Amino acid sequence: MRVLGIDFGTSNTVAMVRGADGRARPLLFDGSPLLPSAVYLNPDGRLLVGRDAERSARLDPARFEPNPKRRVDDGVVLLGEQEQSVPQVIGAVLRRVAVEAQRHFGAAADELRMTHPARWGEQRRAVLLESARVAGLPAPRLVAEPVAAASYYTAVLGSAVPVGRALAIYDLGGGTFDATVVRRSATGFDVLAEHGLSDLGGLDFDQALVEHLGRGYSDTRTTLWNSLVSPADAGQRRQRALLYDDVRGAKEMLSRTTSADVHLPALDISAHITRDEFEGLIRQYVMQTVHCLAQTITAARMAPPDLVGIFLVGGSSRIPIAAHLIHTELGVAPTTLEQPETVVAEGALFFGAAAAEPTGPVHSGVPRVAPPPARPVTAQPARPVTQPPAHPASLPPAHPASSPPARPVAPPRPPTISRPQAPRPPMTAPQVAHPPAAAQPPAQPRGQVAPGYSLPSAYGHGRPAQPVPPPAGYGAAVGKPPPVSAVPVSPRPAPPRAWYEEPTLVWTVALGVMVVIALIVLVILAAS
């Protein structure tokens, strides 16, 4: 099914589409997902929208309406000398969206979902329905903006909102601010409380920055500055539009960097603005939105810690001071996104999917990254460890039938008792001849241990309990050097240390030198 979601905003309109694959994609207007909601009546009677309307407004601003959403209660809008009904003006913007959606799908959308402020009544929603009909779109399914944002919070971000818990939505757009608390129910989200400021938004931030520049340059260049803020002809209106475009760009840049430059067209000057200066200008406006949010939470009979989170949406909520003041004043770190303008439109596409409980854990709203697949680990067979038995006679056969027979392990040596040895004669030069056969020790009966020997090893050789010098000529006959008996070796004395390596001596010499220097100084002072 081809679904189209539209968020008709005060300053900009955003549209998202979802095809058969279930993926949501933004519609682009002149390469941007943001379509200015402005409308301009051309002299030939055609209604231009978006950036075309903003460019044409420099010729005749009387034919220009920058914020049709604010005129929803007026019935008609005067553009030049002609009156246009509000549904016709809003429908012109929606018609541009419908054309782009049909170009994307290759056909008309099967379903339309449009968002509106939570406080809009039946009459305002009827204007929105009529505007969609004028634009040739199907009858829309209306979704409250905070409910769409909450649907995005759960369906797209995967953040958990259990049934019965509440979420606060902080929506700061270009011309308005809305604060809403929604509670999760078995069927979706219910609005508990909502409040807003209809005359506060990003446009007020732009105006505050322009007035700040005027205080710095209007005194010395009064005439030029007045021509910028109050243009009298098409050329001056063009310069005024360039000024506000540059101010808006600097405002957005200050959300990413600590400073920006604003070009003043008529004055041919570039003014340098820092983030601290800008935040000082708009701090009072942002504080109003934070207080409005606190009042809304109180109206819902809750405290900020009772919420599962505070979700920031709307293009102007990207300004860093907004999240900072919310965290400072309310004690809750809000969830922010890189592109908060598209949240409401995309959330409308997933409206209804919020009833399903998310299976993932709660996270901060940053899209998850799937972990890399684990590398298979091949278990290595453990080597069997044979514990020595307490007594040779108690050694049980511990070889499994499936394993090859292990080599016999020699039993532990019994403790031996040293006996006094006769003084050893001095070693003579090795002889080549083998020792006589009579010198070999007599064979012992099986099972007995010869004096001075341990039990026979696995290889049938006796091991002497005490080191005994081998017979003469043994090493030469076998081809190995004779073993050397263990002789205690006295440790090598440490070399003597130099005088400068003795700390005591060094300090004594240094102290003596200082005393001598002090005496010389005293003698010189006494002589003078």
Side-chain angles (χ1 to χ4, degrees):
M1 176 180 289
R2 298 179 294 267
V3 184
L4 172 62
I6 301 177
D7 176 23
F8 178 67
T10 303
S11 300
N12 296 290
T13 297
V14 180
M16 302 285 294
V17 293
R18 189 181 67 187
D21 57 357
R23 295 181 57 186
R25 298 176 178 86
L27 289 181
L28 300 182
F29 307 93
D30 301 324
S32 172
L34 303 181
L35 172 67
S37 301
V39 177
Y40 177 84
L41 180 61
N42 214 34
D44 59 3
R46 294 184 300 112
L47 287 174
L48 304 179
V49 300
R51 293 171 183 83
D52 295 341
E54 292 179 339
R55 283 190 291 267
S56 301
R58 301 171 186 174
L59 302 176
D60 189 358
R63 296 175 172 270
F64 180 65
E65 174 52 53
N67 309 116
K69 191 174 182 178
R70 287 183 171 177
R71 309 294 298 274
V72 66
D73 295 327
D74 294 346
V76 295
V77 178
L78 182 63
L79 299 178
E81 299 179 354
Q82 298 184 20
E83 288 186 347
Q84 300 286 331
S85 66
V86 172
Q88 287 178 334
V89 175
I90 298 177
V93 180
L94 300 182
R95 189 179 301 112
R96 172 70 187 279
V97 175
V99 170
E100 293 297 331
Q102 186 166 1
R103 181 181 304 172
H104 175 84
F105 285 133
D110 299 324
E111 183 181 351
L112 173 63
R113 300 181 182 182
M114 295 186 64
T115 62
H116 61 86
R119 63 178 180 273
W120 272 23
E122 187 68 27
Q123 183 177 355
R124 292 181 175 181
R125 294 199 299 267
V127 172
L128 207 57
L129 295 173
E130 178 63 18
S131 301
R133 189 194 63 80
V134 170
L137 291 169
R141 181 181 182 182
L142 299 182
V143 183
E145 292 173 357
V147 173
S151 300
Y152 181 97
Y153 188 80
T154 56
V156 180
L157 297 185
S159 300
V161 181
V163 174
R165 298 296 301 276
L167 173 71
I169 308 297
Y170 176 97
D171 188 354
L172 182 58
T176 60
F177 168 75
D178 295 293
T180 313
V181 176
V182 295
R183 181 172 58 191
R184 181 70 177 273
S185 65
T187 58
F189 290 94
D190 300 326
V191 177
L192 294 182
E194 64 84 21
H195 191 50
L197 303 172
S198 59
D199 55 351
L200 193 151
L203 298 177
D204 299 278
F205 303 159
D206 299 344
Q207 186 62 32
L209 186 53
V210 170
E211 293 176 359
H212 172 71
L213 296 174
R215 287 190 292 269
Y217 296 98
S218 61
D219 294 340
T220 57
R221 299 171 175 85
T222 305
T223 303
L224 293 176
W225 180 257
N226 290 339
S227 66
L228 272 178
V229 296
S230 302
D233 54 25
Q236 293 178 354
R237 284 193 292 270
R238 210 172 288 116
Q239 291 180 342
R240 182 180 185 273
L242 292 175
L243 170 64
Y244 275 85
D245 286 344
D246 219 29
V247 165
R248 188 181 305 110
K251 176 191 67 176
E252 296 173 355
M253 184 176 178
L254 289 174
S255 298
R256 303 183 297 269
T257 62
T258 57
S259 62
D261 293 329
V262 179
H263 179 66
L264 308 180
L267 283 65
D268 198 17
I269 293 175
S270 292
H272 187 72
I273 303 295
T274 65
R275 178 185 290 180
D276 293 338
E277 292 176 338
F278 177 64
E279 291 182 346
L281 296 172
I282 67 173
R283 187 183 184 89
Q284 57 176 340
Y285 298 110
V286 181
M287 281 300 299
Q288 293 181 32
T289 64
V290 176
H291 292 159
C292 181
L293 175 62
Q295 294 173 5
T296 307
I297 297 174
T298 303
R301 299 182 179 180
M302 290 187 174
D306 299 334
L307 304 170
V308 295
I310 299 176
F311 192 25
L312 271 59
V313 300
S316 297
S317 67
R318 189 189 291 109
I319 298 176
I321 193 176
H324 172 71
L325 290 180
I326 291 174
H327 193 188
T328 302
E329 298 294 326
L330 303 183
V332 177
T335 299
T336 60
L337 298 178
E338 180 64 25
Q339 194 171 21
E341 298 93 343
T342 62
V343 168
V344 174
E346 186 171 358
L349 296 180
F350 294 95
F351 174 70
E357 284 287 346
T359 57
V362 180
H363 59 88
S364 62
V366 180
R368 301 175 183 175
V369 179
R375 183 176 298 178
V377 179
T378 305
Q380 299 292 338
R383 294 183 177 181
V385 179
T386 304
Q387 298 292 339
H391 193 272
S394 62
L395 181 64
H399 302 294
S402 60
S403 61
R407 299 165 66 180
V409 180
R413 296 170 53 186
T416 57
I417 303 175
S418 300
R419 295 177 296 179
Q421 300 288 339
R424 300 176 182 175
M427 297 182 64
T428 59
Q431 301 293 330
V432 178
H434 289 278
Q440 297 295 334
Q444 298 294 332
R446 196 168 199 178
Q448 297 183 6
V449 183
Y453 280 78
S454 66
L455 291 174
S457 67
Y459 299 97
H461 299 287
R463 183 174 297 174
Q466 296 292 335
V468 179
Y474 174 81
V478 183
K480 299 180 181 180
V484 180
S485 59
V487 179
V489 180
S490 59
R492 184 177 180 180
R497 301 172 66 178
W499 66 271
Y500 51 81
E501 295 180 348
E502 295 291 342
T504 306
L505 184 57
V506 171
W507 280 106
T508 304
V509 173
L511 183 60
V513 171
M514 288 188 291
V515 171
V516 171
I517 293 175
L519 292 175
I520 293 174
V521 172
L522 292 176
V523 170
I524 293 174
L525 293 177
S528 62

